[in-house]
Amino acid sequence: MSDGEAVAMDEDLQSMSAEELREQLRRLRAGIRAHRDSSGHELCWHHPQLWNLLPERIEPQIAVPQWPAFLRGCVRYRESLDRQRPDAPRSEDELK
């Protein structure tokens, strides 16, 4: 997406009142906090509820990696958590 496309998508902000902008900001912050506060297996899920905070309604065009590449990505993600948060508590919870 180019900068011009992003500006065009955000033109609705120009017509919002200060209170409407504050409400939009509160919704976005709540969505970001919910994503930030996820833990355990929730960290690995597809998060369309976060994308639904945007005003444009599109069907995201996602690409799903083949299993071997997907599993390598999961391992790299978990390794990055070890580097970035070595102090985080560990869980024995299984995905259900």
Side-chain angles (χ1 to χ4, degrees), residues 27-96:
R27 286 182 57 244
L28 293 172
R29 285 181 171 187
I32 292 167
R33 286 180 182 118
H35 184 70
R36 174 201 65 196
D37 296 343
S38 61
S39 186
H41 293 288
E42 293 173 1
L43 294 170
C44 299
W45 293 113
H46 182 72
H47 292 281
Q49 68 276 16
L50 188 59
W51 306 336
N52 286 336
L53 294 172
L54 294 169
E56 63 271 10
R57 296 290 176 240
I58 62 170
E59 186 65 32
Q61 301 299 311
I62 63 170
V64 180
Q66 294 293 332
W67 276 107
F70 181 82
L71 293 174
R72 284 191 300 273
C74 290
V75 169
R76 282 197 305 269
Y77 175 63
R78 181 58 182 76
E79 289 170 343
S80 77
L81 290 174
D82 281 340
R83 287 189 305 277
Q84 295 174 45
R85 291 296 313 271
D87 58 329
R90 301 302 188 243
S91 168
E92 298 293 328
D93 295 345
E94 291 287 331
L95 179 63
K96 297 177 179 151

Side-chain angles (χ1 to χ4, degrees), residues 12-24:
D12 62 319
L13 298 174
Q14 301 302 321
S15 62
M16 289 183 177
S17 69
E19 183 54 37
E20 289 170 323
L21 289 169
R22 282 190 289 275
E23 178 55 32
Q24 184 68 238

